[in-house]
Amino acid sequence: MDGNGRWAKKRHVPRAMGHREGGEAVRRTVKACRKLGVECLTLYAFSSENWKRDESEIGDLMNLMKRFIKSDLDDFIANGIKLKLIGDWHAFEPEIVAMLEDALERTQHGDQVLAVALNYGSQQEIARAAAKAAEQGDVTQDSIAANLDTADLPPLDLLIRTSGEVRLSNFLLWQAAYAEMIFMDVLWPDFEEEHLQAALEEFARRERRYGGR
Ligand code: IPE
Ligand code: MG
């Protein structure tokens, strides 16, 4: 989800407003995924590198997250959303950690997975998984994969980055080995169901060979 800051800049409004509109795009996208039959949606909400931002912007993002959980959790439960978290989210402030734990528990019976990457960095995730695999005395491709935060998520099929940037920025590096990638020019707060639909259509036209021929 990229482009909140540029969306705000274009409108000469504070970055926080871009993030708030980004939250609206999250709501729309979660709904659209349910409607279009997407089994699992993973959102990159806060990266382990986002701590480099101003304290005030980090505060805005944390407040937004708290407000979002408060306002949308019941709706998520009612709509069969099952929350998953990837990344080192236990490093957030205790109040947020408690809210996230409560949300995990209360959404556990849902059937559509919404995975949120919080304080997530893929290289850190891989290093953690490799260390755990070593502890278990078995360092193989399978054992590392089994120790990734995404171990119980389905394989990554499609990765979409908004805002026109063409890089992965430490997101799902291992999981993206055979994912289809789509880079869209739309800024995240402007992301609508039609963009998702277009990306899914493009995905359906791609031929996936996984190294075969
Ligand atoms: C993405 O938008 C939101 C988060 C990182 C939480 P940005 O804040 O990165 O927006 P740009 O890249 O400045 O436009
Ligand atoms: Mg950005």
Side-chain angles (χ1 to χ4, degrees):
M1 302 186 283
D2 198 13
N4 295 355
R6 277 161 282 173
W7 185 94
K9 194 166 183 190
K10 239 170 69 179
R11 283 166 181 74
H12 308 284
V13 297
R15 285 182 73 85
M17 258 176 90
H19 293 314
R20 204 170 66 203
E21 285 303 308
E24 293 300 325
V26 167
R27 272 189 197 106
R28 284 197 297 275
T29 306
V30 171
K31 272 197 199 110
C33 280
R34 183 151 190 91
K35 183 171 153 197
L36 299 171
V38 174
E39 161 191 4
C40 173
L41 169 70
T42 304
L43 295 173
Y44 202 179
F46 194 87
S47 83
S48 37
E49 287 72 35
N50 284 150
W51 296 111
K52 291 182 202 156
R53 297 191 179 198
D54 288 354
E55 211 179 299
S56 72
E57 182 172 1
I58 295 172
D60 289 339
L61 289 167
M62 296 299 146
N63 286 333
L64 183 66
M65 190 154 63
K66 284 188 233 175
R67 261 185 283 134
F68 195 94
I69 298 173
K70 278 187 194 143
S71 59
D72 283 57
L73 184 57
D74 287 341
D75 227 47
F76 278 2
I77 298 164
N79 285 296
I81 303 289
K82 185 188 184 93
L83 182 69
K84 296 266 181 186
L85 298 173
I86 63 172
D88 192 9
W89 54 277
H90 284 99
F92 282 153
E93 58 180 79
E95 188 191 353
I96 294 187
V97 171
M99 289 174 82
L100 290 170
E101 276 167 347
D102 175 61
L104 284 173
E105 189 183 315
R106 290 175 57 204
T107 59
Q108 64 181 315
H109 300 298
D111 57 7
Q112 184 202 4
V113 176
L114 171 62
V116 185
L118 292 176
N119 193 18
Y120 176 85
S122 186
Q123 292 179 332
Q124 296 88 325
E125 176 198 28
I126 294 167
R128 274 199 309 271
K132 276 191 222 152
E135 241 171 65
Q136 295 156 0
D138 170 38
V139 184
T140 61
Q141 197 177 328
D142 286 344
S143 72
I144 292 174
N147 280 297
L148 292 172
D149 299 353
T150 53
D152 55 355
L153 299 182
L156 179 62
D157 287 321
L158 169 61
L159 190 148
I160 302 171
R161 181 173 186 152
T162 59
S163 90
E165 308 284 5
V166 185
R167 54 175 171 268
L168 294 182
S169 301
N170 209 10
F171 187 54
L172 301 180
L173 302 179
W174 176 290
Q175 296 85 345
Y178 284 100
E180 295 298 326
M181 298 189 196
I182 295 184
F183 297 90
M184 300 181 104
D185 274 332
V186 60
L187 299 173
W188 176 250
D190 292 327
F191 194 83
E192 300 274 352
E193 182 180 330
E194 70 209 47
H195 297 103
L196 179 67
Q197 181 91 51
L200 292 175
E201 281 165 18
E202 162 80 30
F203 171 78
R205 283 193 294 271
R206 303 252 180 113
E207 191 197 344
R208 305 179 81 193
R209 291 193 298 273
Y210 299 94
R213 49 175 295 194

